[in-house]
């Protein structure tokens, strides 16, 4: 932390109100009204948010869609003005906000680098000096002299990111930028952000990727409906956030759909929620439409213990006829290491051919092994073929997160069942 203990970001009771017009004509009526009559409803995107971020902190910001994350960053960036409350920033800010901000689509990449660099406070000769480094990082080649409206989303974001990090700001704001771009670029961005963090920069990082958040933030906040619900360690906030999602999910699943611990095929609930969808791929003949892990009492389980009996339910909607469907899953630890995988075919269950419009639901009943406590992800998939030769129709990476609770001391990744004996001679 820097020697003077002044916060880099200081928000006090920050609120942001948007007027909501149910019809465009209402705005006109309001403008024409002599008595200042209001024709709109009020909507508070942020409410009474207090936030003190000390220099050198990497702060993760999580929350469901529409919870106010982008609004908060835009206020910190000075792009939006809060309706109420105070916002003080100490240091130069570079912002990598949602797509589009800062770039003019009609201008070329080169022109945009100079313009957005200047907006973020870089001098012309400074930008010229770093120009090659910027376009090398963005890897967009000859596209640099074409209008950015011809860029793919990934190229656009790569260039925006390259400019933002080469501005060398004291405070970097990143809004969900890592969700676009390919994996290699994401890795480079993460390395770069990590380096900035190590240099003592302040970083505010909005993401839906809880793994990435816990990996490199040292503090996190949870926003919900414009309010700050949690503020603490990334692990704590990520758990609270998952609990919130699961609670809402549980309420949205009818009581009749809850597994009663018996697990016969007729009683398998068709599930229709997927907690996280960031990376999905496949030929698209079927789409995963839900994944839920139930504990034996029929409750949605996001926390499990060694030896606990659970039922993993995966539903998939068939888009084009599938001759030999296979439904399966992969479990990974928080570092992304595959722990195990299984599927209907591997377990000796042959699923019948499926017609378009139908929904196949598979239930995997299992006992949680004695794993090291911590967060694990489940990636569901539907494929076509057999275990040796198949095509992936839909695969969602890390769609479901579970927490394995501590039940005793475990050395290494798991407790390997051991029977010990001895003899003295
Ligand atoms: N210009 C606007 N006029 C009216 N409402 C707005 C405006 N901008 C945002 N909102 C509303 O404010 C709320 C918060 O939006 P915000 O973009 O900050 O959410 P978010 O947490 O970033 O969501 P996401 O995860 O989808 O990016 C949303 O309900 C949104 O519809
Ligand atoms: Mg947003």
């Amino acid at each position: 932390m820097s020697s003077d203990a002044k916060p880099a970001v200081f928000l006090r009771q920050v609120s942001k109100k948007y007027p909501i017009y149910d019809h465009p004509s209402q705005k006109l009526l309001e403008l024409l009204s002599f008595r200042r009559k209001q024709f709109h409803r009020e909507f508070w995107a942020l409410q009474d948010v207090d936030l003190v971020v000390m220099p050198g902190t990497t702060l993760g910001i999580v929350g469901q869609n529409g919870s106010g994350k982008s609004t908060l960053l835009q206020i910190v960036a000075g792009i939006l003005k809060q309706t109420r409350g105070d916002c003080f920033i100490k240091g130069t800010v570079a912002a990598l906000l949602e797509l589009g901000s800062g770039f003019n689509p009609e201008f070329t990449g080169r022109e945009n680098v100079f313009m957005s660099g200047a907006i973020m406070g870089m001098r012309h000769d400074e930008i010229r000096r770093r120009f090659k480094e910027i376009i090398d990082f963005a890897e967009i080649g000859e596209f640099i002299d074409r209008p950015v409206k011809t860029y793919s989303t990934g190229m656009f974001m790569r260039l925006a990111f390259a400019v933002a990090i080469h501005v060398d700001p004291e405070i970097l704001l990143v809004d969900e930028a890592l969700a676009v771009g390919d994996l290699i670029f994401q890795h480079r961005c993460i390395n770069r952000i990590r380096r900035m963090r190590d240099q003592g920069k302040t970083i505010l990082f909005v993401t839906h990727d809880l793994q990435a958040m816990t990996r490199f933030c040292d503090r996190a906040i949870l926003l919900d409906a414009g309010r700050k619900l949690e503020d603490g360690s990334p692990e704590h906030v990520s758990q609270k956030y998952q609990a919130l999602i699961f609670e809402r999910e549980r309420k949205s699943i009818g009581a009749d759909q809850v597994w009663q611990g018996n697990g016969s095929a007729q009683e398998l609930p068709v599930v229709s929620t997927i907690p996280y969808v960031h990376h999905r791929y496949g030929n698209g003949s079927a789409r995963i439409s839900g994944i839920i892990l139930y504990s034996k009492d029929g409750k949605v389980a996001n926390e499990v213990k060694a030896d606990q009996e659970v039922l993993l339910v995966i539903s998939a909607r068939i888009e084009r006829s599938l001759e030999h469907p296979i439904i399966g899953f992969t479990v990974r630890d928080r570092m992304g290491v595959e722990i195990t995988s299984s599927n209907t075919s591997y377990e000796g269950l042959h699923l019948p051919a499926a017609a378009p419009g139908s929904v196949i639901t598979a239930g995997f009943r299992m006992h949680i092994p004695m794993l090291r406590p911590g967060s694990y992800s489940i990636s569901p998939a539907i494929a076509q073929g057999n275990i040796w030769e198949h095509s992936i129709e839909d695969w969602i990476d890390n769609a479901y997160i579970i927490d394995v609770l501590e039940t005793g001391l475990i050395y290494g990744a798991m407790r390997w069942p051991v029977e010990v004996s001895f003899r003295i001679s």
Side-chain angles (χ1 to χ4, degrees):
M1 202 181 286
S2 83
S3 50
D4 57 335
K6 249 187 141 177
V9 175
F10 181 92
L11 305 184
R12 186 169 48 207
Q13 295 286 295
V14 164
S15 303
K16 175 72 189 172
K17 180 177 74 177
Y18 286 116
I20 304 270
Y21 297 92
D22 292 323
H23 194 273
S25 65
Q26 290 178 332
K27 191 160 189 172
L28 191 65
L29 284 173
E30 202 170 275
L31 287 170
L32 296 174
S33 161
F34 292 112
R35 294 204 190 95
R36 299 259 164 256
K37 188 168 164 13
Q38 288 198 350
F39 288 90
H40 68 257
R41 292 181 287 124
E42 292 182 344
F43 176 81
W44 289 92
L46 280 181
Q47 290 192 69
D48 302 326
V49 173
D50 288 319
L51 181 66
V52 179
V53 185
M54 297 311 284
T57 307
T58 303
L59 179 81
I61 303 173
V62 296
Q64 286 185 285
N65 295 130
S67 55
K69 306 180 296 297
S70 299
T71 305
L72 183 81
L73 279 201
Q74 283 169 296
I75 288 173
V76 172
I79 295 168
L80 274 182
K81 180 95 182 94
Q82 66 274 18
T83 313
R84 273 198 328 237
D86 302 310
C87 170
F88 301 107
I89 307 298
K90 188 177 161 286
T92 51
V93 179
L96 187 62
L97 301 182
E98 277 163 331
L99 216 72
S101 38
F103 275 10
N104 184 329
E106 300 297 332
F107 292 172
T108 67
R110 185 184 299 271
E111 290 162 338
N112 271 298
V113 167
F114 278 91
M115 283 194 312
S116 63
I119 290 168
M120 290 193 248
M122 263 208 284
R123 286 195 322 274
H124 194 82
D125 58 317
E126 225 176 321
I127 304 172
R128 225 181 17 225
R129 204 157 34 79
R130 295 203 179 159
F131 189 76
K132 187 171 179 312
E133 221 180 308
I134 293 174
I135 55 166
D136 282 351
F137 191 92
E139 281 185 337
I140 53 168
E142 68 209 40
F143 270 85
I144 191 67
D145 286 312
R146 297 195 201 160
V148 301
K149 67 179 178 197
T150 64
Y151 288 17
S152 71
T153 312
M155 286 163 63
F156 195 105
M157 264 343 243
R158 290 211 300 266
L159 190 60
F161 189 86
V163 176
I165 55 174
H166 285 87
V167 167
D168 198 26
E170 286 161 87
I171 304 170
L172 177 70
L173 311 177
V174 184
D175 193 347
E176 214 40 88
L178 302 180
V180 293
D182 54 44
L183 280 176
I184 296 171
F185 188 71
Q186 284 179 25
H187 269 265
R188 282 170 49 211
C189 291
I190 287 175
N191 282 341
R192 196 61 193 234
I193 294 179
R194 200 173 270 147
R195 227 165 73 200
M196 294 178 80
R197 187 190 64 182
D198 296 344
Q199 287 165 358
K201 313 271 179 176
T202 309
I203 300 168
L204 270 59
F205 179 54
V206 166
T207 183
H208 285 103
D209 182 347
L210 295 180
Q211 287 195 6
M213 197 258 301
T214 42
R215 225 172 321 150
F216 63 68
C217 292
D218 28 51
R219 184 181 145 201
I221 60 169
L222 167 61
L223 290 182
D224 191 51
R227 290 186 185 275
K228 190 175 84 173
L229 277 197
E230 295 289 337
D231 188 337
S233 75
E235 290 78 16
H236 168 82
V237 170
S238 140
Q239 271 172 22
K240 289 284 178 182
Y241 180 39
Q242 288 182 63
L244 184 92
I245 292 175
F246 280 108
E247 185 51 31
R248 287 192 183 147
E249 202 155 80
R250 201 180 57 75
K251 283 191 183 139
S252 72
I253 302 166
D256 55 323
Q257 287 217 330
V258 168
W259 179 51
Q260 289 307 331
N262 159 326
S264 63
Q266 296 85 336
E267 288 190 40
L268 276 181
V270 174
V271 292
S272 58
T273 45
I274 308 171
Y276 304 99
V277 185
H278 296 301
H279 303 292
R280 89 189 285 168
Y281 68 88
N283 300 334
S285 296
R287 273 175 88 76
I288 300 290
S289 50
I291 171 170
I292 289 182
L293 187 76
Y294 291 104
S295 59
K296 220 180 160 185
D297 55 9
K299 292 207 175 106
V300 171
N302 57 332
E303 290 180 341
V304 296
K305 280 187 181 153
D307 216 34
Q308 184 181 335
E309 191 184 345
V310 291
L311 179 75
L312 175 67
V313 182
I314 299 171
S315 295
R317 215 170 69 90
I318 308 303
E319 306 289 344
R320 295 188 290 271
S321 311
L322 282 186
E323 205 57 43
H324 301 290
I326 305 174
I327 294 183
F329 65 93
T330 289
V331 179
R332 296 204 191 95
D333 71 10
R334 52 184 284 190
M335 303 313 289
V337 178
E338 182 174 337
I339 301 298
T340 191
S341 287
S342 190
N343 60 62
T344 45
S345 175
Y346 182 71
E347 300 298 343
L349 180 72
H350 181 76
L351 295 178
S358 60
V359 173
I360 318 183
T361 298
F364 300 88
R365 202 162 166 172
M366 46 205 184
H367 282 89
I368 302 292
M370 283 181 275
L371 291 171
R372 187 199 351 236
S375 174
Y376 292 82
S377 72
I378 306 176
S379 307
I382 179 159
Q384 140 108 318
N386 56 52
I387 42 176
W388 298 281
E389 212 174 299
H390 54 256
S391 57
I392 301 286
E393 299 305 327
D394 190 21
W395 171 297
I396 307 177
D397 251 346
N398 309 339
Y400 201 93
I401 309 285
I402 53 169
D403 254 301
V404 173
L405 300 177
E406 191 156 351
T407 39
L409 179 63
I410 289 175
Y411 299 117
M414 67 176 293
R415 181 162 188 172
W416 183 317
V418 170
E419 265 178 47
V420 60
S421 56
F422 82 103
R423 126 179 187 194
I424 299 175
S425 42

